Amino acid sequence: MAENGHRVRACHAFRGMRTVEHEVQAPLDHFAADPAGGETITVFAREYVSAEHSPAEAERLPWLLYLQGGPGGRGNRWGSLGGWAKAAAREFRILMLDQRGTGLSTPADRHTLPLRGGDQEQAAYLEHFRADSIVADAELIRQALGSGPWTVYGQSYGGFCALTYLSFAPEGLKEALVTGGLPPLTGPADDVYRATFQRVAARNAEYFSWYPEDRTTVERIARHLRGTLEVLPDGSPLTVERFQMVGALLGGNTRVDSLHSLLEDAFTDSVTGPRLSDAFLDQVQGLVSRRSNPLYALMHESIYAQGQATDWAAWRVLEEFPEFRPEAEPLLLTGEMVYPWYFRQDPALAPLAGVAQLLAAKQDWMNLYDLDRLAANTVPAAAAVYADDIYVDRKLSLETAARIKGLQVWETGDFHHDGIADDGEAIFARLLGMARSAGS
């Protein structure tokens, strides 16, 4: 272990790339009066380098930090370099961060959180798992690697983190790229859901115009679930409201058509009549359970919180959109909303229900953005705004972009939230070119 807490765990070479595993010890509370004297956690990141570069050449490459979506998702695990990573690896060493609480960083889940104590202690611990702390971790890693200002690429929630980076540690950035991730800088989370409920409704209409037979299937499933108990592989019931969560697939170019594949063999015959098939239930389990990423449900609304409680914003705003209620006919599928009943119906979340309530009620969240610094930004930056994104609203994104000096915006209707999975190489190259032309 180096003096700065940096340790290289393992190195591997396969399928045209080399990887190096990095680990640092970071303060749990970067903002304490004496952060170095308090509790520490492990933060893990994996370096990816194209084998087209010799080890000596790779040492001279600049770094690109990738901040993935979420919150609560670990860094991507790549078996080879493709898409945007293939493009980036031509001139960068890519660092894939396991944001604190995820992957090989010190985990925060239903097993580890009770080790902190009761609900109050667990909630207090999780206050340190937002974008401000993630950015502070990134700066610690950058310094441990001996890097100068580096390029940061933020997808979705990673874009939120990139704007926090521009706010509080711009000296660590050479340039910033964002795809589908310009958050509102002020205002309550309610504004986000008022916008995105409307976009999800429009996306439902678009989807069912492509697959009108799926409209009938969705209604059949809803009627079936209202009268018949169906159990997911984890033993929990599949309710109508949980079924609506499969609408998460509506948020992508590359994923939306897989919704049709999911629905086409939803039913099978049995001695007691039609039942939902095991193949369908297995797939739905993966879409509705937060077993592998509980921080998504616990922390999701907090990513919008600044100086006020979120108080289950999506659940409250839902009252303004009764067409999304589980009893509504026709039934609409939902998007990236988190509701309090998640913590009753999902066995992986049930032990964390009290913690979730405390986080929803917390009022004194720190600010995630420095508006004055963003207005005076000097870091070259470019962002892709997807016109019909159901997760990150176009109008709110453009309002944010207008408040960041020098931010170049590419607005496009060609992609949805998962655009980089569709044509990541071209998107990355375009944004990098935009940022560099603005900075030259």
Side-chain angles (χ1 to χ4, degrees):
M1 184 75 73
E3 288 184 8
N4 59 12
H6 174 225
R7 181 169 75 97
V8 173
R9 291 171 34 132
C11 304
H12 302 284
F14 57 96
R15 295 185 60 80
M17 65 183 182
R18 297 188 299 276
T19 66
V20 182
E21 298 175 358
H22 299 275
E23 184 181 275
V24 300
Q25 297 303 306
L28 171 64
D29 184 357
H30 283 281
F31 311 104
D34 179 21
E39 180 179 353
T40 63
I41 61 172
T42 297
V43 178
F44 174 88
R46 181 176 278 111
E47 170 188 350
Y48 291 89
V49 177
S50 171
E52 293 179 0
H53 305 290
S54 70
E57 291 169 341
E59 286 294 322
R60 295 191 293 270
L61 291 175
W63 287 97
L64 180 146
L65 172 70
Y66 181 69
L67 297 167
Q68 76 276 16
R74 69 178 188 172
N76 297 335
R77 268 57 175 168
W78 291 326
S80 62
L81 294 170
W84 76 263
K86 181 179 180 181
R90 296 187 185 112
E91 60 177 287
F92 292 103
R93 283 187 280 180
I94 301 170
L95 193 69
M96 180 66 64
L97 178 66
D98 278 357
Q99 296 172 11
R100 53 172 50 201
T102 74
L104 293 175
S105 296
T106 299
D109 56 35
R110 65 191 176 103
H111 299 295
T112 64
L113 286 171
L115 297 173
R116 311 295 310 182
D119 291 348
Q120 293 280 355
E121 290 79 12
Q122 294 176 51
Y125 179 71
L126 290 174
E127 291 174 9
H128 307 298
F129 283 73
R130 297 201 306 156
D132 46 2
S133 295
I134 292 168
V135 166
D137 290 341
E139 274 296 275
L140 194 69
I141 295 170
R142 183 181 68 82
Q143 293 160 15
L145 294 174
S147 172
W150 57 11
T151 300
V152 64
Y153 182 17
Q155 156 65 14
S156 187
Y157 175 62
F160 292 32
C161 295
L163 265 57
T164 300
Y165 218 140
L166 287 171
S167 293
F168 299 114
E171 67 279 3
L173 298 179
K174 177 183 177 183
E175 55 209 357
L177 313 178
V178 173
T179 48
L182 292 181
L185 301 177
T186 60
D190 303 42
D191 294 345
V192 173
Y193 296 111
R194 285 195 180 94
T196 53
F197 269 121
Q198 296 177 61
R199 291 205 178 274
V200 177
R203 187 64 162 165
N204 270 264
E206 183 178 39
Y207 175 81
F208 289 121
S209 73
W210 300 335
Y211 298 105
E213 66 272 31
D214 288 359
R215 173 77 277 166
T216 301
T217 301
V218 165
E219 292 307 306
R220 184 185 177 194
I221 292 171
R223 289 194 301 271
H224 178 78
L225 292 175
R226 291 179 186 121
T228 304
L229 174 65
E230 292 281 5
V231 178
L232 293 170
D234 66 1
S236 64
L238 177 60
T239 60
V240 175
E241 55 267 34
R242 292 187 84 187
F243 167 60
Q244 287 177 281
M245 294 170 65
V246 304
L249 295 173
L250 294 172
N253 288 76
T254 62
R255 299 187 304 156
V256 64
D257 298 300
S258 63
L259 178 57
H260 176 68
S261 301
L262 170 70
L263 295 171
E264 66 183 357
D265 59 352
F267 284 95
T268 190
D269 292 327
S270 78
V271 293
T272 60
R275 299 300 300 261
L276 294 179
S277 70
D278 287 341
F280 175 80
L281 292 171
D282 279 347
Q283 294 174 79
V284 171
Q285 168 84 60
L287 292 168
V288 307
S289 174
R290 298 300 176 201
R291 180 181 297 272
S292 63
N293 59 341
L295 287 181
Y296 178 91
L298 283 166
M299 303 300 294
H300 193 269
E301 290 196 351
S302 79
I303 69 178
Y304 302 107
Q306 300 184 91
Q308 58 188 315
T310 58
D311 192 26
W312 299 110
W315 182 243
R316 290 184 291 100
V317 173
L318 177 64
E319 294 300 314
E320 302 172 23
F321 296 89
E323 62 270 31
F324 281 97
R325 299 291 299 176
E327 63 271 15
E329 294 183 359
L331 187 74
L332 294 184
L333 304 176
T334 55
E336 200 176 43
M337 293 79 175
V338 174
Y339 306 122
W341 56 257
Y342 278 24
F343 294 86
R344 296 191 300 272
Q345 297 193 23
D346 187 338
L349 295 179
L352 304 172
V355 180
Q357 182 56 45
L358 289 170
L359 293 171
K362 179 178 169 59
Q363 298 188 30
D364 57 344
W365 292 106
M366 292 175 58
N367 286 337
L368 293 170
Y369 312 107
D370 184 324
L371 302 185
D372 292 336
R373 191 169 254 181
L374 291 174
N377 174 58
T378 60
V379 177
V385 173
Y386 303 132
D388 301 308
D389 196 330
I390 69 171
Y391 294 152
V392 180
D393 179 68
R394 167 192 172 274
K395 180 175 180 290
L396 296 177
S397 294
L398 294 179
E399 289 175 357
T400 290
R403 302 181 73 168
I404 304 173
K405 184 178 180 180
L407 175 64
Q408 305 296 305
V409 174
W410 170 38
E411 184 183 351
T412 175
D414 293 338
F415 303 101
H416 279 263
H417 195 67
D418 65 348
I420 61 171
D422 197 18
D423 194 4
E425 191 166 356
I427 291 172
F428 176 83
R430 179 165 184 160
L431 291 179
L432 186 62
M434 289 169 62
R436 290 184 171 174
S437 66
S440 60

